[in-house]
């Protein structure tokens, strides 16, 4: 996949253009999902699902199939399992995440140990490597990104109601259970789509850190959403530029930039006496 226009350095090469396209797509949908997860106080669910996706990658390597599809299967099943445990009060959100965290990573280690001769591929999924993304990788990322973005925009009002006050949403007659499951599945899709770019171990950071910055800047939920996406997109572009210029790990560089932005914004807002996001404006 190559852009129809010629881009300047460092995006003049095909592999950089693929990384840019995939990275920008992830930079849009990851904080979109993250804004709702943070509002729901489920910031760490991306980590939990990421560990399950790692088990799926291991299963794919063992079965000699493309790991993305097995990772997606494991991630979706795990996300629905976490939501089922949480909604039925069989375990708190933190305990449910811990259960899937450790079970997923343990299963992944066991499966990967049996994938003889293919263990070198694991680093790509754990830490991300957008510069090696193939045309098929980019198509999958863009396809999942479009599905996630369209679904989030279409359901944004009911999602906001459910993540803000789930009990009120139930009383109001909203399908809170279905909506929560949809959010869980979309989160699983986001984790799998982003793992090639920032890696399973860092994907949750792309969902949370830009949102943390957006909360400090914005005065409303929709403002937080917009600022989060903006911060994330800028981090992707700057991170890819820095990785090409100084031969840095792209995924880690992107996440470090989002962390640096949050640190700068936190200091600036503290110095000016601004408070964390107020959600008096709830137009979504």
């Amino acid at each position: 996949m190559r852009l129809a226009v010629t881009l300047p350095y460092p995006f003049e090469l095909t592999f950089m253009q693929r990384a840019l396209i995939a990275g920008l797509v992830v930079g849009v949908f990851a904080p979109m999902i993250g804004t709702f997860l943070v509002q729901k106080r489920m910031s760490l669910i991306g980590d939990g699902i990421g560990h399950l996706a790692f088990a799926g990658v291991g299963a794919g390597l063992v079965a000699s199939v493309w790991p993305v599809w097995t990772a997606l299967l494991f991630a979706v099943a795990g996300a629905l399992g976490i939501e089922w445990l949480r909604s039925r009060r069989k375990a708190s959100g933190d305990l449910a995440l811990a259960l899937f965290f450790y079970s997923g990573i343990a299963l992944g280690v066991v499966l990967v140990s049996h994938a003889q001769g293919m263990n070198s591929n694991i680093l790509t999924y754990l830490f991300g490597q957008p510069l090696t993304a193939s045309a098929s990788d980019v198509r999958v990322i863009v396809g999942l990104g479009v599905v996630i973005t369209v679904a989030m925009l279409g359901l944004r009002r009911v999602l906001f109601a459910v993540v803000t006050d789930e009990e009120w949403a139930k009383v109001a007659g909203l399908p809170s259970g279905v909506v929560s499951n949809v959010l869980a599945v979309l989160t699983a899709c986001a984790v799998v789509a982003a793992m090639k770019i920032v890696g399973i171990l860092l994907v949750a950071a792309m969902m949370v850190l830009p949102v943390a910055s957006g909360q400090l800047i914005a005065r409303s939920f929709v403002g937080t959403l917009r600022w989060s996406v903006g911060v994330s997109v800028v981090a992707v572009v700057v991170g890819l530029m820095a990785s090409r210029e100084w031969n840095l790990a792209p995924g880690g560089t992107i996440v470090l930039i989002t962390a640096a932005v949050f640190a700068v914004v936190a200091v600036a807002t503290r110095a000016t006496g601004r408070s964390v996001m107020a959600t008096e404006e709830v137009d979504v």
Side-chain angles (χ1 to χ4, degrees):
M1 182 175 291
R2 185 182 176 90
L3 293 179
V5 296
T6 302
L7 296 180
Y9 178 88
F11 299 111
E12 81 283 7
L13 300 178
T14 301
F15 74 90
M16 286 298 296
Q17 293 176 9
R18 289 174 179 166
L20 179 63
I21 294 170
L24 289 177
V25 172
V26 172
V28 171
F29 69 69
M32 284 184 67
I33 291 277
T35 304
F36 289 92
L37 293 179
V38 170
Q39 186 74 16
K40 196 177 182 181
R41 293 177 175 82
M42 292 286 285
S43 303
L44 294 179
I45 191 173
D47 268 329
I49 295 176
H51 284 66
L52 287 162
F54 177 63
V57 169
L61 294 178
V62 170
S64 298
V65 299
W66 198 26
V68 169
W69 300 125
T70 49
L72 185 60
L73 177 63
F74 274 63
V76 169
L80 292 174
I82 292 172
E83 184 57 34
W84 184 83
L85 288 174
R86 187 196 64 82
S87 63
R88 284 159 179 76
R89 303 293 192 272
K90 293 185 180 295
S92 69
D94 289 342
L95 288 177
L97 283 175
L99 171 65
F100 284 89
F101 253 67
Y102 304 125
S103 299
I105 198 70
L107 180 59
V109 170
V110 170
L111 291 173
V112 167
S113 68
H114 285 279
Q116 297 180 358
M118 301 187 71
N119 291 359
S120 60
N121 292 340
I122 291 300
L123 294 179
T124 297
Y125 295 103
L126 285 177
F127 303 109
Q129 184 47 273
L131 303 187
T132 63
S134 64
S136 59
D137 290 329
V138 175
R139 282 193 290 268
V140 170
I141 293 170
V142 171
L144 288 174
V146 169
V147 170
I148 293 167
T149 302
V150 171
M152 295 295 294
L153 292 176
L155 297 172
R156 65 189 185 280
R157 295 184 184 276
V158 66
L159 274 172
F160 177 78
V162 171
V163 301
T164 302
D165 191 337
E166 191 168 358
E167 295 303 320
W168 177 88
K170 290 179 180 178
V171 172
L174 296 176
S176 58
V178 174
V179 172
S180 294
N181 283 329
V182 169
L183 180 60
V185 170
L186 291 175
T187 304
C189 293
V191 168
V192 173
M195 68 182 182
K196 183 74 175 182
I197 305 304
V198 293
I200 290 170
L201 297 181
L202 295 174
V203 64
M206 286 299 290
M207 294 182 178
V208 175
L209 289 178
V211 179
S213 298
Q215 284 183 325
L216 292 174
I217 300 171
R219 292 291 186 179
S220 66
F221 183 85
V222 69
T224 298
L225 187 66
R226 290 169 179 167
W227 273 104
S228 301
V229 171
V231 168
S232 182
V233 166
V234 169
V236 167
V237 175
V238 176
L240 289 175
M241 292 173 65
S243 68
R244 173 81 185 280
E245 183 67 26
W246 294 298
N247 194 28
L248 303 175
T253 303
I254 292 170
V255 172
L256 282 175
I257 290 172
T258 63
V261 170
F262 171 70
V264 170
V265 171
V267 171
T269 53
R270 185 178 180 85
T272 57
R274 286 193 55 179
S275 61
V276 176
M277 178 188 71
T279 55
E280 64 271 10
E281 300 175 31
V282 296
D283 180 21
V284 294

